[in-house]
Amino acid sequence: FSLKELHGIFPWLVESIFGSLDGIIVGWNLRCLQGKTNPTEYPVALDFLDPSGPMMKLVYKLQAEEYRYDFPVSYLPGPVKASIQEQVLPECSLYHNKVQFPSSGGLGLNLALNPFEYYMFYFAISLITQKNSPVTHHVSPSNSAYFILVDTYLKCFLPTEGSVLPPPYSNPGGAIPSPTPRSPAVPFTSYGMHHTSLLKRHIAHQPSVNADPASQEIWRSETLLQIFVEMWLHHYSLEMYQKMQSPHVKLEVLHYRLSISSKHHGSPAQSSYQALHAYQESFKPTEEHVLVVRLLVKHLHAFSNSLKPEPLSPSAHSHTASPLEEFKRVVIPRFVQEKLYIFLQHCFGHWPLDASFRAVLEMWLSYLQPWRYAPEKPPQSADHLARSVSEKWAAFIQENLLMYTKLFVGFLNRALRTDLVSPKNALMVFRVAKVFAQPNLAEMILKGEQLFLEPELVIPHRQHRLFMSPTLGGSFFSSWPPTITDASFKVKSHVYSLEGQDFQYKQMFGTEVRNLVLKLAQLICQAQQTAKSISDHSAETTASQSFFSWFRFTPSEMNGSYTGNDLDEIGQDSIKKTDEYLEKALEYLCQIFKLSEAQLTQMMMKCGTAQDENGKKQLPDCIESEDGLILTPLGRYQIINGLRRFEVQYQGDTELQPIRSYENATLVRLLFRLSSALNERFADQMDVLCSREDFVGRLCRYHLTNPHLIQKIRYSPVVKDRTSQNWAPRISLRFLASYRTLISLLMIYFIASWFYIGPVGCTFIILIGYFLYAVIMTFFSEGWKPHEH
């Protein structure tokens, strides 16, 4: 094919591979392509899209001819799209000199991208646009072709060792093609002080562009990272996006809006302006999306940590450092930190309270531990917890203080609303506690907080937002001595650049957060008790299983109580894991926040470790009132999460309780009429017999009366005066309507027939046997719960 023909089919080929932007064309569906399920297509796709494969060779071939391809602005992340539609360029240099207005009669704005940018835009955005792809089998995201390609591209264009391989179709000494400049007639408000790319700053000091082959290397690396970050981490609310912009940008936007509103004739920007304010993005990242971002974070840590040690002479550094080395130094603070922080905040605030949050959690913990991806591994030792965090990471911790402190508070608020009896939720609490309990980490976080709270003596308050801002590229390469004032300045700049000047910082080791930790520790204790109770209940249930369970009958159904719980599904192994995770998490929290034994003892007392006479859990937290017990907010939380419960029992007339599933409805009604007739006919005689003080009176009371049940029944928090209620002597035959009783009688009659005992004789033996049993029980206890026979 000629270059002109390849230029024509390139957009069609890219769309055929990655799918259309509107999601109608699925393409190769790389996210669902795996080696186990697609053994033929999987290696072919990886080879074709490999950095040295046919597709990338085509990209470089077209790149050399400076072709441009239109990418619709309408498919960019929401905040960026709204900003461009209002004719305000984002700060990211990726969009500069690329926005083009359509010709007369055209539709929408477009970005004029070179082949490499066009290919990577489609590759990155396919992770988001192909959410509803048909999946006929379980797909593991980390084994998909898409995940492998992301890892391959990162290793190729952001190498931890050596340099980026040159493109195969680059001309010897060829210059980097620059994007087509935007027409000067297009009225755009630029962000003015946006940072220049590392590539342009490096080339500016070269006598000739063609003389520096490293320029191609840094251009592809920076472009790839910018595209990945913009597509995957730029999906947050418009309000937050505007909050991140510099003050001078807001002023320019205001002037532009005033100039637009002063015009009387219609303007395309007016509808965009209205759309901007009406815009509310509903972005819900998937678990696969988060896993890919975690892969990006881990590789960027390894890429940044592969930076060569700085030479002793500052002057030597300025002449010998390659653009790739400079890129490693600033890749995280300039390109990733701000957007990843907002992305994590969005996930912490909107992700469902279930086990799928583990993906977000591990991404966050990966970012917090850059030392895990350092080339120099710590010496292996038997005790993994003995490895302390080196002091050389103090600067990273201080310049990412909010990542550690504010997001930790966000996790605490989530943990307080989750069911910690679940092994997966308990594991997440354990993971966070274990990471923050690493020796020396809590001390360095505390040092960062002290630097932020340090009074300002040298640095003006109004400069905070500009120090670490990406708009001032040179400040990232500063080699000033690390004085206390400079460290304090960096921490303040980090906090104010992310949260604004009016941000009220909540100390991680302050009183308020400490109280949240104590509350979490209390819930951990309660969850441990609940897990133990479930384990005991499960053991009792297993031991008490009998033949009659086949007939949907259990002892809990006899007395009308409900003891079931969703957590009963948890097996013994899972309960054991839960207890281990919670125990270690509590130990780590005590190490981090220096909780004393006295505080733990007091906390255990508040958990209500005392058990009642039956060895069951206490009631939910309540307060006494005139109308009985009223649930507190803690009590409602305990019921919702299954930590405690009321033993639900029927408290009315036992003869009038609803017909149960193990009873015959017809027999219940007939026996109720018979019992009512007998009680009405012999009421006076039964009352006289039960009032006697001799053995006959005790025997009649055992059969015919209902003693006070206040010691055994947990009453409703609403009905309070039922504890004083006592029923008159009466006969109850309802037990004969139970399927269990009927089957038991049939079995007895059947067995008796083997010994040639007729129905009348068998009935007589049953009555004599029960009478002897009743006499013996009367001797032992008069207060036994009545069987009402």
Side-chain angles (χ1 to χ4, degrees):
F1 291 97
S2 65
L3 276 179
K4 189 173 182 180
E5 290 175 324
L6 293 175
H7 167 63
I9 67 173
F10 181 69
W12 168 84
L13 181 59
V14 170
E15 191 173 82
S16 300
I17 296 173
F18 302 121
S20 58
L21 296 174
D22 55 12
I24 297 177
I25 300 177
V26 178
W28 291 4
N29 201 10
L30 297 173
R31 293 167 49 250
C32 299
L33 195 63
Q34 296 199 358
K36 292 183 179 180
T37 56
N38 309 95
T40 304
E41 298 87 346
Y42 180 78
V44 172
L46 291 183
D47 291 341
F48 185 77
L49 301 176
D50 189 80
S52 58
M55 189 64 187
M56 290 304 295
K57 290 180 179 178
L58 171 62
V59 169
Y60 294 134
K61 197 170 186 178
L62 296 173
Q63 182 83 14
E65 298 299 323
E66 301 187 18
Y67 285 117
R68 293 293 179 268
Y69 301 92
D70 289 340
F71 187 93
V73 170
S74 58
Y75 289 104
L76 291 175
V80 179
K81 174 181 66 177
S83 178
I84 293 178
Q85 287 175 344
E86 198 183 356
Q87 301 186 4
V88 178
L89 279 178
E91 288 184 348
C92 179
S93 60
L94 185 66
Y95 304 107
H96 296 167
N97 299 325
K98 292 186 177 67
V99 181
Q100 289 188 339
F101 274 95
S103 58
S104 58
L107 297 175
L109 297 169
N110 293 304
L111 296 179
L113 305 177
N114 61 44
F116 184 82
E117 293 170 336
Y118 187 80
Y119 174 84
M120 286 301 172
F121 259 84
Y122 263 86
F123 175 77
I125 208 168
S126 64
L127 178 65
I128 302 167
T129 56
Q130 301 294 330
K131 281 185 180 180
N132 301 321
S133 301
V135 179
T136 57
H137 54 272
H138 176 70
V139 176
S140 175
S142 59
N143 295 327
S144 68
Y146 187 88
F147 194 90
I148 301 300
L149 283 172
V150 171
D151 187 44
T152 304
Y153 289 154
L154 289 174
K155 290 178 179 178
C156 175
F157 297 107
L158 300 172
T160 56
E161 296 180 0
S163 59
V164 184
L165 295 177
Y169 283 95
S170 60
N171 298 327
I176 304 173
S178 58
T180 305
R182 175 175 50 85
S183 172
V186 179
F188 259 84
T189 302
S190 174
Y191 279 6
M193 289 180 60
H194 62 268
H195 68 85
T196 57
S197 71
L198 289 171
L199 167 67
K200 294 179 181 178
R201 287 195 302 103
H202 185 78
I203 294 177
H205 295 83
Q206 302 294 331
S208 170
V209 173
N210 297 344
D212 183 20
S215 58
Q216 284 282 359
E217 159 192 343
I218 186 64
W219 178 86
R220 287 180 294 158
S221 301
E222 187 174 351
T223 300
L224 175 83
L225 179 60
Q226 284 185 326
I227 292 174
F228 283 179
V229 170
E230 286 296 309
M231 295 299 105
W232 297 340
L233 297 181
H234 216 151
H235 296 260
Y236 36 82
S237 68
L238 182 63
E239 179 184 358
M240 184 59 68
Y241 178 77
Q242 293 175 335
K243 178 181 178 181
M244 292 168 57
Q245 309 308 322
S246 306
H248 72 277
V249 175
K250 297 179 181 179
L251 183 61
E252 291 185 12
V253 172
L254 177 61
H255 283 304
Y256 174 76
R257 289 173 177 173
L258 291 176
S259 64
I260 290 295
S261 61
S262 63
K263 298 179 181 180
H264 297 285
H265 58 83
S267 171
Q270 289 178 341
S271 59
S272 300
Y273 172 74
Q274 294 171 357
L276 178 70
H277 284 271
Y279 168 77
Q280 290 293 335
E281 184 177 29
S282 176
F283 175 64
K284 298 177 183 178
T286 62
E287 188 173 351
E288 179 187 11
H289 182 174
V290 173
L291 291 175
V292 172
V293 173
R294 186 191 180 207
L295 175 65
L296 173 65
V297 168
K298 292 167 65 176
H299 185 83
L300 289 179
H301 273 319
F303 177 69
S304 179
N305 291 335
S306 66
L307 178 67
K308 297 177 182 178
E310 295 185 9
L312 298 177
S313 172
S315 59
H317 167 264
S318 60
H319 293 290
T320 60
S322 69
L324 186 63
E325 292 298 305
E326 291 185 358
F327 189 49
K328 292 179 180 180
R329 185 175 293 106
V330 302
V331 63
I332 290 180
R334 171 178 293 177
F335 294 98
V336 179
Q337 182 195 67
E338 188 175 40
K339 292 181 174 64
L340 181 63
Y341 173 72
I342 303 299
F343 181 80
L344 284 170
Q345 270 201 317
H346 177 86
C347 292
F348 273 57
H350 296 82
W351 203 277
L353 292 172
D354 57 21
S356 65
F357 185 72
R358 174 78 186 278
V360 179
L361 187 79
E362 293 298 336
M363 176 182 64
W364 172 49
L365 296 180
S366 295
Y367 184 82
L368 299 186
Q369 303 176 87
W371 46 88
R372 290 183 56 191
Y373 312 101
E376 66 279 2
K377 296 295 182 182
Q380 297 291 331
S381 62
D383 186 6
H384 294 279
L385 296 179
R387 304 172 185 171
S388 62
V389 181
S390 173
E391 285 292 335
K392 76 173 187 176
W393 301 107
F396 177 87
I397 294 172
Q398 294 166 7
E399 294 171 9
N400 292 271
L401 185 64
L402 291 178
M403 287 283 196
Y404 290 88
T405 59
K406 187 174 180 181
L407 292 183
F408 178 81
V409 175
F411 174 77
L412 282 181
N413 290 326
R414 286 185 60 93
L416 291 173
R417 302 197 304 268
T418 55
D419 176 17
L420 298 183
V421 181
S422 169
K424 295 180 179 179
N425 292 335
L427 175 60
M428 288 191 283
V429 176
F430 163 75
R431 288 284 296 124
V432 173
K434 181 180 179 181
V435 168
F436 279 84
Q438 294 177 85
N440 203 32
L441 178 58
E443 288 76 6
M444 286 193 283
I445 296 175
L446 179 60
K447 176 65 174 178
E449 290 193 322
Q450 292 172 348
L451 289 172
F452 174 74
L453 299 174
E454 188 177 88
E456 304 175 49
L457 301 176
V458 181
I459 304 165
H461 185 78
R462 58 187 174 87
Q463 293 181 359
H464 281 165
R465 187 167 179 85
L466 301 178
F467 182 85
M468 286 289 289
S469 171
T471 59
L472 297 181
S475 63
F476 290 110
F477 305 97
S478 174
S479 58
W480 299 337
T483 61
I484 295 298
T485 302
D486 184 53
S488 175
F489 185 38
K490 289 182 178 180
V491 176
K492 294 175 188 289
S493 302
H494 155 71
V495 173
Y496 291 136
S497 64
L498 292 181
E499 292 291 347
Q501 296 282 0
D502 55 347
F503 175 62
Q504 298 296 323
Y505 183 75
K506 184 183 296 184
Q507 298 182 54
M508 178 175 168
F509 296 96
T511 305
E512 186 176 351
V513 177
R514 188 180 183 85
N515 290 335
L516 289 178
V517 173
L518 289 173
K519 188 175 180 181
L520 176 61
Q522 182 177 349
L523 290 179
I524 289 176
C525 295
Q526 292 177 349
Q528 287 178 304
Q529 294 175 29
T530 303
K532 184 178 183 301
S533 175
I534 293 173
S535 178
D536 296 341
H537 172 73
S538 177
E540 293 173 4
T541 303
T542 304
S544 63
Q545 285 181 344
S546 65
F547 169 79
F548 297 104
S549 63
W550 290 88
F551 302 97
R552 300 172 65 185
F553 177 83
T554 59
S556 63
E557 292 174 324
M558 282 294 293
N559 57 18
S561 64
Y562 170 76
T563 58
N565 192 293
D566 293 338
L567 301 176
D568 294 339
E569 302 292 331
I570 300 178
Q572 292 294 325
D573 293 339
S574 297
I575 293 176
K576 184 178 180 181
K577 287 182 179 179
T578 298
D579 189 64
E580 293 176 356
Y581 291 147
L582 294 179
E583 184 178 356
K584 294 299 292 183
L586 188 59
E587 178 184 338
Y588 290 140
L589 289 174
C590 293
Q591 294 177 12
I592 298 168
F593 293 92
K594 305 294 189 295
L595 301 181
S596 63
E597 290 293 333
Q599 288 175 310
L600 287 179
T601 303
Q602 182 182 7
M603 188 168 48
M604 294 294 292
M605 295 293 293
K606 290 182 179 179
C607 289
T609 54
Q611 297 179 336
D612 59 20
E613 70 281 357
N614 292 323
K616 302 297 182 183
K617 300 192 301 289
Q618 285 189 329
L619 291 176
D621 192 59
C622 303
I623 57 174
E624 291 281 353
S625 69
E626 296 179 356
D627 298 326
L629 299 176
I630 298 179
L631 282 173
T632 63
L634 176 59
R636 286 192 288 272
Y637 169 84
Q638 292 167 341
I639 290 179
I640 292 173
N641 291 277
L643 300 178
R644 296 185 184 182
R645 62 173 178 264
F646 290 102
E647 293 183 13
V648 181
Q649 292 184 338
Y650 183 80
Q651 300 175 29
D653 188 346
T654 54
E655 290 295 296
L656 300 178
Q657 62 180 313
I659 297 175
R660 305 304 182 90
S661 60
Y662 56 83
E663 293 178 323
N664 184 282
T666 304
L667 284 178
V668 169
R669 295 185 177 96
L670 290 176
L671 292 172
F672 173 72
R673 293 177 184 176
L674 178 59
S675 300
S676 300
L678 293 174
N679 290 330
E680 185 177 356
R681 175 68 180 81
F682 300 105
D684 295 337
Q685 291 86 336
M686 289 188 294
D687 193 29
V688 172
L689 287 174
C690 290
S691 63
R692 294 175 57 170
E693 297 297 331
D694 55 4
F695 176 77
V696 176
R698 294 175 59 190
L699 184 63
C700 291
R701 282 194 294 272
Y702 177 76
H703 285 83
L704 303 176
T705 62
N706 223 350
H708 296 291
L709 304 179
I710 186 173
Q711 299 298 327
K712 297 193 71 173
I713 300 178
R714 297 292 189 182
Y715 287 94
S716 166
V718 177
V719 183
K720 188 178 179 181
D721 57 351
R722 290 226 174 131
T723 57
S724 61
Q725 203 165 3
N726 189 23
W727 307 106
R730 61 179 178 176
I731 296 173
S732 176
L733 301 176
R734 180 166 176 167
F735 73 98
L736 293 174
S738 169
Y739 289 123
R740 179 182 182 181
T741 304
L742 294 175
I743 293 174
S744 299
L745 291 175
L746 287 176
M747 291 181 64
I748 292 174
Y749 283 119
F750 179 72
I751 295 173
S753 67
W754 290 356
F755 299 95
Y756 303 101
I757 301 175
V760 177
C762 184
T763 303
F764 180 77
I765 294 174
I766 292 175
L767 293 176
I768 292 298
Y770 179 76
F771 179 77
L772 294 175
Y773 168 78
V775 169
I776 295 173
M777 295 306 298
T778 303
F779 274 116
F780 281 103
S781 174
E782 184 181 351
W784 190 267
K785 183 176 179 179
H787 296 270
E788 302 184 26
H789 293 350

